[in-house]
Amino acid sequence: MQRIRLRYTKRGRLRFTSHRDFQRAFERALRRSEVPMAYSAGFTPHPKVSYANAAPTGTGSEAEFLEIALTEARDPDVLRELLDASMPDGLDVVDAVEARTSGLADRLTASVWEMRLDGVPVEDAEKAVTAFMDAETVEVQRRAKNGMRTFDARAAVVGLQALDPQPDRSGDGPCAILRLVVRHVTPAVRPDDVLSGLRAVADLTPPVPAAVTRLAQGLFDEESGTVTDPLAPDREAAPAVTTADPAAAATAPEGAGSA
């Protein structure tokens, strides 16, 4: 059995698809691409697909991950192209590696998020960010299955800064871009929880809903403060490919090839 790990995106209007919607679209792509999927046992067999830490509905993402199990070996790059061609535009399969290490989910310990706040001056966003980061705790509430739940949104945040929008995305009115690095903890702290925290500590309330995109997801590096690529260990574990013909590497007799 071969295992392939894939990175996919949720872009544009497709950010509003639910995780279940993506599952249906992906399983259709598997059938169209004639992928030799491994199936579970039991009365209702289903393709062996493992999803890891999917982004909330309504948020875009450049870094969603899943793993599939195959009954026959396939080239990861060819498989990626076939699946990407079978997916709707906006749900794009952008990377694929053969799984050569264990614990993909264990390497998804943090995310980098971008939040676009239209109608918010950068100066106001900077003041709110400072107040949030200086606070020891920032309690927010979120509705859960058993009612409202109160938790600290500050402890999971390891980085938060306010930036000017890029020139090609500036628009007509004021706009602030928040760059957020957050650890994956329990309960999960989501970008909207951080926005609730900014409202609580600095009364920052964007006039329109924030456009939220996950830029990266992976292992948090304590020394550099960055989020690393979770597929890198699988690439590093791949055996080196030797293209040279061993017979051609033999030393040619003296004078061979001369005129």
Side-chain angles (χ1 to χ4, degrees):
M1 184 181 299
Q2 183 189 36
R3 294 178 297 128
I4 301 291
R5 290 169 176 168
L6 304 169
R7 177 167 70 90
Y8 66 93
T9 70
K10 291 173 60 181
R11 296 168 174 161
R13 295 177 61 185
L14 273 298
R15 68 175 59 216
F16 297 104
T17 57
S18 68
H19 182 56
R20 183 57 188 149
D21 292 333
F22 175 82
Q23 287 179 311
R24 285 193 288 262
F26 185 68
E27 290 180 7
R28 285 196 297 267
L30 291 172
R31 292 192 293 270
R32 290 171 182 167
S33 303
E34 298 182 348
V35 178
M37 288 296 300
Y39 281 77
S40 62
F43 292 104
T44 56
H46 57 272
K48 288 190 175 182
V49 183
S50 299
Y51 299 92
N53 197 38
T57 302
T59 62
S61 180
E62 295 294 315
E64 301 298 289
F65 295 92
L66 59 82
E67 180 178 300
I68 59 177
L70 311 183
T71 57
E72 300 175 10
R74 289 291 186 270
D75 181 279
D77 292 332
V78 174
L79 183 64
R80 184 205 68 76
E81 292 178 0
L82 290 171
L83 289 172
D84 184 53
S86 299
M87 294 289 286
D89 291 339
L91 298 178
D92 304 314
V93 183
V94 295
D95 200 358
V97 299
E98 183 172 358
R100 299 180 181 276
T101 62
S102 60
L104 174 62
D106 293 337
R107 296 200 291 269
L108 302 180
T109 63
S111 289
V112 181
W113 297 91
E114 179 183 278
M115 296 182 282
R116 181 183 174 96
L117 309 183
D118 286 302
V120 176
V122 176
E123 297 78 10
D124 293 349
E126 289 175 339
K127 293 177 182 177
V129 166
T130 299
F132 183 93
M133 296 301 289
D134 287 346
E136 292 187 5
T137 60
V138 178
E139 289 192 345
V140 299
Q141 290 187 325
R142 184 200 303 159
R143 185 173 298 280
K145 294 181 179 179
N146 298 326
M148 296 300 293
R149 182 175 187 176
T150 301
F151 59 96
D152 177 23
R154 172 64 186 87
V157 177
V158 294
L160 179 61
Q161 56 181 326
L163 307 169
D164 287 310
Q166 298 176 3
D168 61 340
R169 301 171 57 191
S170 57
D172 297 329
C175 176
I177 302 295
L178 298 186
R179 189 66 55 84
L180 168 69
V181 182
V182 59
R183 296 181 189 271
H184 299 167
V185 297
T186 303
V189 174
R190 305 183 306 205
D192 57 317
D193 298 320
V194 175
L195 289 174
S196 297
L198 292 170
R199 182 169 59 249
V201 299
D203 197 28
L204 182 72
T205 306
V208 296
V212 181
T213 302
R214 174 149 53 192
L215 302 180
Q217 181 180 192
L219 189 66
F220 182 71
D221 188 318
E222 298 285 350
E223 293 185 2
S224 64
T226 59
V227 175
T228 61
D229 179 8
L231 301 184
D234 295 299
R235 293 192 185 91
E236 294 168 359
V241 177
T242 303
T243 58
D245 183 355
T251 304
E254 184 177 353
S258 60

